[in-house]
Amino acid sequence: MNRLFEIIYILLNKKMVTAKELAEKFEVSVRTIYRDIDMLSSAGIPIYASQGKGGGISLLEDYILNKSVLSEEEQNEILFALQSLTVTQNPETDRVLSKLSSLFNKTITNWIEVDLSPWGSDENRKCEFTLLKDAILNHQIVEFTYFNSSGEKSTRKVQPLKLIFKVNAWYLKGFCLTKNEYRTFKISRIFHIDIKQETFEHRNPDEVSIDEKDQSSQIWIPIKLQISHQGAYRVFEEFTEHEITKNQDGYFTVETSLPEGEWLLHYILSFGANIEVLAPDYIREMIQGKLEDIILKYKK
């Protein structure tokens, strides 16, 4: 099947080629090439062979392979999907994208760019996604340094299973050999990835949930926040629509659940003066204590 596809691709680009040239390219006999041509013709591809000097195998002029199979919208969706996959930095993706663009008779539109690294990151940071992707496809064990949400550093040895994008961040699903259980790791907290030669048998990545609530000892608490219009850009980026109420005064009330602990305090403080905790009261008191500590540092 791959040879048939390659033959059509060659004909779309070269217009005409001899059976001998095709046979040499694919390292098969001329008779095999003619059998391929018969198969393509039987499948409805307007391909024909002309005899004599200057003759050869060609497609009907102006033929575009998939017009009779895929709609214009479907062709665009395929090309757009492939362009979004260029984030994986796989040379095969670019090759297939180029071929399909020729088959569909379309010019590639550079409509999307995905960069997994924070602003200002170096090239080493940018290639980590590709390293993890290759390890997943090759079933290779990876070892890396990891910082959890509390800032604790550890070395993890993991059987990587799947990459997931959720809530504006990329995560790695895997079976952690260090902890002997399924875990989900935030890629931005992964450093110094080492791809091992050790391989593992395929595991089902759906056996582990992306939801970090289920895999940690953190307690998630209901919390009510009021955020000013200056913080609106974060409201719609970090909370779901059903959690947000826009008030007449332009402020937003957010009712959600967040993990209790030091992280929560730092998260709330990251909004600066644009946020107020309405409930629970003890979180308000903890924020007040944090602010008093900060003020004391600047009074020294």
Side-chain angles (χ1 to χ4, degrees), residues 62-244:
D62 298 326
Y63 173 71
I64 300 173
L65 176 65
N66 264 46
K67 277 195 171 177
S68 60
V69 180
L70 296 172
S71 68
E72 185 82 8
E73 184 178 353
E74 289 170 330
Q75 293 175 35
N76 286 332
E77 288 296 330
I78 290 172
L79 294 178
F80 290 167
L82 282 171
Q83 280 184 274
S84 68
L85 283 176
T86 56
V87 66
T88 63
Q89 300 178 16
N90 189 338
E92 287 297 305
T93 301
D94 290 333
R95 188 174 66 86
V96 173
L97 180 60
S98 176
K99 284 189 176 183
L100 286 179
S101 297
S102 296
L103 293 176
F104 297 157
N105 196 27
K106 291 181 180 291
T107 302
I108 298 175
T109 303
N110 190 19
W111 73 287
I112 187 172
E113 180 176 342
V114 182
D115 189 342
L116 302 174
S117 57
W119 292 105
S121 296
D122 59 22
E123 290 301 319
N124 290 332
R125 195 67 176 149
K126 293 179 180 179
C127 74
E128 289 176 354
F129 182 93
T130 303
L131 289 175
L132 292 172
K133 180 263 299 181
D134 290 341
I136 291 170
L137 295 178
N138 296 324
H139 298 165
Q140 289 178 278
I141 291 173
V142 298
E143 190 172 69
F144 51 78
T145 300
Y146 189 68
F147 292 85
N148 65 15
S149 58
S150 299
E152 297 170 343
K153 179 181 176 182
S154 62
T155 299
R156 301 297 184 92
K157 199 169 184 180
V158 175
Q159 296 174 347
L161 303 177
K162 181 186 284 189
L163 294 168
I164 293 181
F165 184 79
K166 186 172 182 179
V167 195
N168 302 322
W170 282 96
Y171 295 85
L172 169 68
K173 275 186 178 183
F175 186 81
C176 181
L177 299 171
T178 309
K179 300 291 185 179
N180 197 34
E181 60 184 355
Y182 288 105
R183 287 295 179 95
T184 301
F185 304 93
K186 195 169 186 179
I187 291 182
S188 61
R189 300 188 198 137
I190 292 175
F191 296 87
H192 312 303
I193 299 171
D194 181 18
I195 308 297
K196 302 295 184 181
Q197 293 303 312
E198 305 168 67
T199 58
F200 60 94
E201 291 186 9
H202 177 70
R203 291 177 180 265
N204 181 5
D206 295 325
E207 293 178 26
V208 57
S209 169
I210 184 64
D211 194 344
E212 290 188 306
K213 298 180 192 178
D214 297 333
Q215 55 177 299
S216 72
S217 58
Q218 288 180 317
I219 299 173
W220 287 64
I221 60 169
I223 189 167
K224 189 174 182 179
L225 308 169
Q226 181 172 272
I227 301 173
S228 69
H229 65 276
Q230 288 94 340
Y233 71 99
R234 288 190 62 179
V235 170
F236 291 100
E237 285 181 359
E238 300 176 26
F239 304 102
T240 59
E241 186 177 358
H242 76 272
E243 296 174 325
I244 304 168

Side-chain angles (χ1 to χ4, degrees), residues 17-72:
V17 65
T18 66
K20 182 180 179 182
E21 288 173 329
L22 291 174
E24 290 174 352
K25 175 175 178 57
F26 296 111
E27 298 180 348
V28 296
S29 66
V30 171
R31 180 177 297 180
T32 297
I33 293 298
Y34 278 118
R35 279 202 298 266
D36 290 343
I37 301 305
D38 288 339
M39 288 178 64
L40 290 170
S41 181
S42 299
I45 306 297
I47 189 170
Y48 62 94
S50 56
Q51 303 295 324
K53 186 176 180 181
I57 300 166
S58 59
L59 287 170
L60 188 66
E61 192 173 356
D62 298 326
Y63 173 71
I64 300 173
L65 176 65
N66 264 46
K67 277 195 171 177
S68 60
V69 180
L70 296 172
S71 68
E72 185 82 8

Side-chain angles (χ1 to χ4, degrees), residues 281-298:
D281 288 338
Y282 78 92
I283 296 294
R284 286 177 60 90
E285 294 168 2
M286 292 173 71
I287 291 293
Q288 184 179 351
K290 277 284 183 185
L291 291 172
E292 289 173 354
D293 289 343
I294 293 170
I295 292 171
L296 282 174
K297 288 181 185 297
Y298 287 90

